[in-house]
Amino acid sequence: MIYQQSNDKLIANIEQRTNNKLIGLTMGTLLLEDEVQLMSDLIQTVDMDSWKERAEWYQQQLLHNYYNAETGIMNQWYPQENSPADENFYYWWQAHVIDVLVDGLERTGSQGYADQIRELSRSLRAYNGGTFSHNYYDDMEWTALALLRAYKATGEQEYKLAVLELWKDIKTAWNDHFGGGMAWKKDQRDYKNTPANAPAAILAARLYGLFQDEEDLNWAERIYEWNKTHLVDPASGFVWDGINRQGDGEIDYDWEFTYCQGVFLGAALELYLNTGNTKYAADARRTSEACIERLCDADTRMLPDEGIDDTGLFKGILIRYWVQLYRQIPEQEQVREIILRNAGRLWESGLNKQLGLCSPSWEKAPELPVQLSVQLSGLMLLEAAAVVQEK
């Protein structure tokens, strides 16, 4: 990486900077923080036996380390001074921040989480130029999915209105290149991939589930069938990433990502939930099994280190839809075991508990700086463990 310092030097700088300074610990609130409190938090983690306690602690670390009181959204690096001046704004990461805040709200029922979701979603719209629309269709899909969950959890109408506005824009992604399917972005309409199609199918199915508009179900089924026909290995159920990325009509067979497996099985589960058709449940199980066989370590069942930037989020997305698989099809005990095994290893080896940060590898301590995408994946894993621990 370009932006590197020694861990010791960075930690010393952080400790000096945070000592007796104002830090934004929760959104809209500035609290005095010092090294004594940081050490107190570290000591408390030793006694946390419950995954719910661990998830709550890590939620607070996300806010403590990444929340930017000026923008109202999360910084993309910790420490923030390690951000490159010309860095791309990763809009879709902020959607996953909303998603994990909804996880916290569902776990605790705390009004504090509801307030944070409201502030961050409004700040994200403002930061994005007063709109949730974007050039990348998949980014809009993730924002719509997060806001739809927020609407379901809170009943606040502004989320519903935003989702319907986004859905109208998202549907323009469908075009006739390669027989249909959703384009990845507005200025490259002949590139189709699982990241743009499977989340759109999830969104359409969930909209149908909430509002019972048959057109939404038709959209979900049509998008899903295109994705399955063009980007799923018929021999194994393993999901490929995309087709025609370089304008050559080729599929990127060598792009083997946890993300694609997660969103496709998530789309299958939503259609199973809303239609009762067991073919979708079978598809979800098959893709999950292919993912485990190809991407999990055969001995430890650990998921791979997929790096930073966008790929830093990929494992967390798979984990989110594995939780849904286990909830809908409880006999998938292997999925529960893998989630808990990965969470256990992250807790034991993949965290810096003094700083509240995790690594792209859930088996190794993080090296500073740490990207928001990586931090979110770790939080998704701990929230998932809190869910499946109850079963």
Side-chain angles (χ1 to χ4, degrees):
M1 290 181 59
I2 298 173
Y3 304 95
Q4 287 187 337
Q5 298 181 43
S6 72
N7 278 355
D8 290 344
K9 183 177 179 181
L10 274 171
I11 291 170
N13 289 342
I14 293 163
E15 289 176 343
Q16 182 178 15
R17 188 178 69 253
T18 59
N19 188 25
N20 294 323
K21 281 195 173 184
L22 288 170
I23 297 291
L25 181 60
T26 59
M27 293 188 177
T29 305
L30 293 177
L31 299 177
L32 281 173
E33 185 70 84
D34 57 24
E35 292 177 39
V36 174
Q37 183 61 51
L38 289 172
M39 290 305 298
S40 175
D41 290 344
L42 175 62
I43 292 167
Q44 289 174 15
T45 64
V46 175
D47 299 323
M48 290 182 190
D49 295 325
S50 163
W51 286 113
K52 287 185 176 181
E53 291 178 313
R54 294 171 178 179
E56 182 60 29
W57 169 77
Y58 207 51
Q59 285 273 8
Q60 297 308 314
Q61 303 314 303
L62 173 70
L63 298 178
H64 180 277
N65 290 330
Y66 292 91
Y67 175 61
N68 186 317
E70 293 183 6
T71 64
I73 61 175
M74 299 293 171
N75 293 326
Q76 295 184 160
W77 289 90
Y78 181 85
Q80 172 63 6
E81 55 261 34
N82 286 83
S83 300
D86 59 348
E87 184 180 31
N88 178 53
F89 171 49
Y90 294 97
Y91 172 75
W92 77 294
W93 296 3
Q94 305 294 326
H96 288 280
V97 175
I98 297 172
D99 240 352
V100 297
L101 292 174
V102 176
D103 292 339
L105 177 58
E106 290 178 345
R107 175 172 43 77
T108 66
S110 168
Q111 181 61 38
Y113 278 111
D115 294 341
Q116 291 165 18
I117 293 164
R118 187 183 312 108
E119 180 179 337
L120 193 137
S121 64
R122 291 175 180 176
S123 297
L124 177 58
R125 183 196 284 269
Y127 193 84
N128 193 53
T131 179
F132 285 124
S133 290
H134 200 272
N135 184 46
Y136 288 85
Y137 284 110
D138 58 336
D139 287 28
M140 292 194 293
E141 290 160 13
W142 285 115
T143 303
L145 285 167
L147 293 175
L148 191 61
R149 288 188 68 211
Y151 168 70
K152 189 174 179 181
T154 68
E156 295 186 23
Q157 289 296 308
E158 69 178 87
Y159 303 134
K160 175 183 174 180
L161 294 174
V163 171
L164 296 179
E165 176 187 339
L166 278 165
W167 179 223
K168 183 178 179 180
D169 194 353
I170 289 164
K171 286 185 286 189
T172 67
W174 185 274
N175 65 75
D176 292 335
H177 291 289
F178 300 98
M182 310 293 275
W184 180 47
K185 58 178 181 170
K186 293 175 180 177
D187 58 0
Q188 192 181 6
R189 294 181 60 79
D190 61 352
Y191 173 42
K192 308 292 180 66
N193 62 10
T194 296
N197 281 271
I202 295 171
L203 176 62
R206 288 183 178 175
L207 285 168
Y208 170 74
L210 281 174
F211 307 122
Q212 296 297 296
D213 185 336
E214 289 289 337
E215 184 181 352
D216 291 333
L217 181 59
N218 292 338
W219 271 102
E221 292 173 329
R222 181 165 56 145
I223 296 167
Y224 179 86
E225 289 304 324
W226 185 91
N227 201 158
K228 181 179 177 180
T229 299
H230 292 83
L231 293 174
V232 178
D233 182 0
S236 68
F238 192 81
V239 184
W240 301 312
D241 185 84
I243 184 171
N244 202 45
R245 178 173 55 89
Q246 297 180 314
D248 55 7
E250 296 297 316
I251 292 174
D252 290 310
Y253 293 110
D254 57 337
W255 283 22
E256 297 188 350
F257 295 131
T258 54
Y259 175 115
C260 295
Q261 319 314 309
V263 291
F264 182 77
L265 72 87
L269 289 169
E270 287 296 335
L271 282 164
Y272 175 49
L273 179 66
N274 285 287
T275 68
N277 191 327
T278 57
K279 74 175 184 179
Y280 296 120
D283 284 351
R285 286 194 297 265
R286 190 162 179 255
T287 291
S288 178
E289 289 164 3
C291 174
I292 293 168
E293 180 179 351
R294 192 171 300 191
L295 298 180
C296 287
D297 184 275
D299 297 321
T300 66
R301 292 307 196 199
M302 292 298 296
L303 287 164
D305 177 348
E306 292 178 289
I308 63 168
D309 297 330
D310 282 342
T311 55
L313 252 172
F314 286 6
K315 286 185 294 189
I317 291 168
L318 169 63
I319 291 290
R320 179 174 299 287
Y321 292 103
W322 260 348
V323 170
Q324 186 173 342
L325 175 64
Y326 182 67
R327 280 174 154 171
Q328 287 185 229
I329 309 174
E331 60 265 27
Q332 294 290 300
E333 182 64 27
Q334 180 179 213
V335 167
R336 178 178 184 268
E337 292 173 357
I338 291 172
I339 291 171
L340 291 175
R341 183 171 296 188
N342 276 262
R345 192 63 179 273
L346 173 66
W347 188 256
E348 293 166 3
S349 306
L351 290 175
N352 180 324
K353 291 177 184 173
Q354 180 175 349
L355 296 178
L357 298 168
C358 77
S359 168
S361 167
W362 290 340
E363 302 180 80
K364 300 176 183 178
E367 295 183 3
L368 296 175
V370 175
Q371 273 186 311
L372 175 63
S373 57
V374 171
Q375 187 81 353
L376 287 169
S377 266
L379 180 50
M380 291 178 196
L381 178 59
L382 296 185
E383 288 283 9
V387 173
V388 302
Q389 183 184 44
E390 298 301 304
K391 298 292 184 179

